[in-house]
Amino acid sequence: MTARRSSTSLPDSAENRPANRPVGILGACRIGWRLAGIVLALLVCVPLHYVWRTVHYGSPIPRLFLSIAARLFGARLRIHGTPLRRDVFYISNHLTWLDILALGAASGTAFVSKAEVGEAPVLGWLARLNRTVFVSREDRMGVADQINRLREALADNWAITVFPEGTTTDGHSLLPFKTAMLRVLEPPPPGVMVQPVVLDYGPLAEWIAWYGEEPGLDNVKRVLARRGSFRLDIHFLDPFDPRDFPGRKAIAAQARARIVPAMERNLGKPLRPFAQDVPQVGYRPQQPGSTA
């Protein structure tokens, strides 16, 4: 479905993003050469990664691959602020699958991802190369194990990113934060900081975002078929000590209180409600009696 906003002269406006719009011959060619570039990058980066791992524990190769992939797909990253490199818990807004490529390239972060991603044949393998921590929102009995895995990841000095909205939006809205995965910060592991992050796709945000009824594959094809490149600004906001805001809800509230004004400064206007007639991508209603 299309987003609810006034018409714009931009060629990549939300009104021009229907899922069934044909990509055309030139679009198919762009998809082809971009995917060929990804295959070539994998053929080079994967062996290098395993060779590196025989000598050192941490490998910079996944970050290099994500940088190449983001650029091949058209993203030109502009980093604002200073990302913490270790012992950091990033909390970010979320628009699309491209967010993962961009944040991984900009900071070397690992991610918290849905368990279904880990089961995907190729995507799951790539995610594991980047030390992704897989969680299942439906596994209420396994929450303690998931929290333990997050704690172990932070203990290894990783940077970890969570998208607490639990789904993707349109770049003009910010949903309430779900706080289940922030239980790892109750209490915070020694030395770990929280750093809010804002992803800003500029005028292209609504067009490039993956939400509503659009299937994921259609979104990928549409983005890869697009001509040219686009700017993606990644704002690493000032970090804060989670010990100053005891409890996951207080930590989430503090992160959101910093992300909202940063997004509004980028947009030049207040955020708007995210009104959808269909469930957002990746969203599943909570079971009665569960907590956010």
Side-chain angles (χ1 to χ4, degrees):
M1 64 181 294
T2 56
R4 296 180 178 87
R5 65 172 297 181
S6 59
S7 297
T8 173
S9 59
L10 291 169
D12 289 328
S13 64
E15 287 76 12
N16 293 327
R17 53 161 295 182
N20 59 355
R21 187 182 183 188
V23 298
I25 296 176
L26 289 178
C29 290
R30 294 186 196 106
I31 293 174
W33 76 256
R34 281 171 168 153
L35 291 180
I38 291 295
V39 171
L40 179 61
L42 283 172
L43 291 175
V44 173
C45 290
V46 171
L48 285 177
H49 170 73
Y50 284 116
V51 169
W52 188 283
R53 287 295 301 271
T54 63
V55 180
H56 299 282
Y57 173 70
S59 169
I61 305 303
R63 182 177 179 183
L64 173 63
F65 171 75
L66 292 176
S67 298
I68 295 171
R71 190 166 187 84
L72 281 172
F73 292 164
R76 300 295 179 262
L77 307 184
R78 298 292 184 271
I79 300 174
H80 307 266
T82 303
L84 299 180
R85 298 301 185 189
R86 53 183 289 174
D87 299 320
V88 58
F89 208 83
Y90 295 124
I91 296 180
S92 176
N93 64 318
H94 194 20
L95 287 80
T96 172
W97 51 272
L98 279 168
D99 300 347
I100 295 174
L101 303 182
L103 270 173
S107 66
T109 179
F111 293 88
V112 177
S113 178
K114 296 188 298 181
E116 299 93 289
V117 173
E119 297 168 1
V122 177
L123 185 59
W125 172 65
L126 291 173
R128 286 186 176 86
L129 289 182
N130 197 48
R131 306 173 301 181
T132 299
V133 178
F134 298 106
V135 300
S136 174
R137 292 190 178 94
E138 288 71 42
D139 185 10
R140 301 295 176 183
M141 301 301 292
V143 170
D145 178 62
Q146 295 171 13
I147 298 301
N148 285 336
R149 281 186 278 126
L150 281 171
R151 286 189 178 277
E152 290 169 0
L154 285 171
D156 284 335
N157 300 322
W158 296 4
I160 293 183
T161 297
V162 294
F163 300 111
E165 293 172 279
T167 185
T168 50
T169 53
D170 56 11
H172 293 256
S173 313
L174 192 69
L175 293 173
F177 285 179
K178 302 176 184 298
T179 63
M181 286 301 103
L182 298 184
R183 288 193 181 116
V184 68
L185 300 175
E186 291 183 326
V192 169
M193 299 288 284
V194 173
Q195 187 165 26
V197 180
V198 171
L199 299 168
D200 177 20
Y201 289 82
L204 196 63
E206 276 189 282
W207 184 89
I208 210 165
W210 174 33
Y211 64 91
E213 295 178 315
E214 184 179 28
L217 182 58
D218 286 354
N219 180 272
V220 171
K221 290 192 296 184
R222 183 166 57 79
V223 172
L224 266 59
R226 183 182 183 274
R227 182 178 61 185
S229 60
F230 55 91
R231 177 167 169 167
L232 169 53
D233 291 280
I234 305 178
H235 298 264
F236 290 92
L237 308 182
D238 290 339
F240 63 88
D241 191 333
R243 295 155 196 80
D244 295 335
F245 303 91
R248 56 192 170 94
K249 292 186 178 181
I251 293 170
Q254 178 60 208
R256 199 175 195 280
R258 298 184 182 211
I259 290 173
V260 168
M263 289 181 65
E264 291 180 339
R265 283 194 299 271
N266 294 336
L267 291 168
K269 59 183 180 181
L271 297 183
R272 67 189 183 197
F274 185 59
Q276 290 288 314
D277 296 330
V278 296
Q280 300 92 26
V281 172
Y283 173 78
R284 290 184 178 86
Q286 288 187 296
Q287 298 299 320
S290 64
T291 57

